[in-house]
């Protein structure tokens, strides 16, 4: 069941703000459920402490939308620093602007497939020249290059897949239903 949890002050602004940008931060390999290692309310508090405005979270899988006048690398660093203090270990964070999320949604090469069967693997770092470089365990899955992401179609779903993609080490994946919701949410704060 999809839930949208909206927490934060819609009027929040960053002190000395220049041009505000809508961002999505995608946390990697973190349980953010209410009873898990990182409750969503704590994630919101971290973002607000970093000076981000209009902070909203989406489902308990590490998705947070906000506004900031900081650059992408500054946003990532501020959130990673707070997560490291909280968790006692490094937590990967992938940051994309509202326009990048909307663009990824629009460029989905598998748009005719169900959104829950298509993943966007958002990657920080260079993408492979060939999306199949180093891939193991592939059956009938299909992979396509994006701009800063790989698109993966799981025709039979992900429950039994053995697919391993080297770029997973430098990114995090969201299904296209989630990407669509994040695009909608970031458009509202951009």
């Amino acid at each position: 069941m999809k839930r949208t949890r909206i927490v934060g002050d819609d009027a929040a602004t960053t002190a000395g703000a220049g041009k505000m940008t809508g961002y999505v931060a995608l946390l990697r390999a973190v349980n953010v459920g209410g009873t898990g290692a990182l409750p969503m309310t704590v994630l919101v508090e971290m973002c607000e402490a970093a000076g981000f405005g209009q902070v909203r979270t989406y489902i308990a899988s590490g998705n947070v939308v906000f506004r900031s006048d900081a650059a992408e690398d500054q946003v990532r660093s501020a959130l990673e620093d707070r997560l490291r203090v909280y968790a006692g270990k490094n937590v990967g964070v992938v940051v994309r602007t509202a326009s990048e999320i909307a663009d990824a949604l629009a460029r989905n090469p598998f748009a005719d497939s169900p959104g829950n069967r298509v993943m966007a693997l958002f990657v920080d770092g260079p993408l492979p020249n060939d999306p199949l470089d180093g891939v193991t365990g592939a059956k009938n899955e299909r992979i396509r290059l994006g701009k800063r992401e790989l698109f993966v179609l799981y025709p039979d779903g992900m429950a039994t897949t053995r697919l391993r993609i080297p770029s997973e080490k430098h990114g995090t994946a969201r299904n296209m239903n989630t990407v669509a919701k994040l695009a909608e949410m970031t458009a509202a704060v951009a």
Side-chain angles (χ1 to χ4, degrees):
M1 177 169 116
K2 289 189 178 184
R3 297 175 309 238
T4 301
R5 179 180 174 136
I6 299 175
V7 182
D9 179 9
D10 285 340
T13 59
T14 303
K19 181 179 182 267
M20 298 295 277
T21 301
Y23 286 105
V24 174
L26 307 168
L27 279 59
R28 186 174 187 276
V30 170
N31 178 358
V32 294
T35 60
L38 178 61
M40 293 174 93
T41 53
V42 173
L43 179 57
V44 169
E45 290 168 4
M46 285 181 190
C47 289
E48 289 173 342
F52 307 155
Q54 293 183 290
V55 180
R56 292 168 172 79
T57 59
Y58 178 65
I59 63 176
S61 61
N63 307 300
V64 61
V65 172
F66 51 86
R67 288 179 60 161
S68 177
D69 64 348
E72 177 184 314
D73 59 338
Q74 294 169 320
V75 166
R76 180 184 313 102
S77 180
L79 190 50
E80 283 179 339
D81 290 348
R82 283 165 176 76
L83 287 163
R84 186 179 312 107
V85 168
Y86 181 86
K89 63 179 182 176
N90 290 334
V91 175
V93 178
V94 173
V95 175
R96 295 294 186 265
T97 65
S99 61
E100 287 177 307
I101 290 293
D103 188 47
L105 178 64
R107 288 183 293 98
N108 174 10
F110 306 114
D112 292 338
S113 298
N116 65 339
R117 300 277 172 121
V118 179
M119 302 294 278
L121 174 59
F122 295 97
V123 178
D124 278 341
L127 293 174
N129 291 328
D130 178 343
L132 298 178
D133 281 350
V135 169
T136 62
K139 293 188 301 183
N140 62 345
E141 299 89 353
R142 294 171 43 203
I143 304 172
R144 298 288 182 270
L145 285 173
K147 289 183 180 175
R148 295 180 70 193
E149 66 282 324
L150 293 169
F151 294 96
V152 184
L153 172 62
Y154 294 89
D156 300 326
M158 292 184 63
T160 60
T161 188
R162 299 268 188 231
L163 184 67
R164 296 293 172 260
I165 303 169
S167 295
E168 290 172 325
K169 292 182 273 187
H170 307 289
T172 187
R174 299 296 185 272
N175 74 39
M176 294 311 290
N177 293 338
T178 296
V179 173
K181 184 61 179 181
L182 294 171
E184 175 188 321
M185 290 174 69
T186 54
V189 301

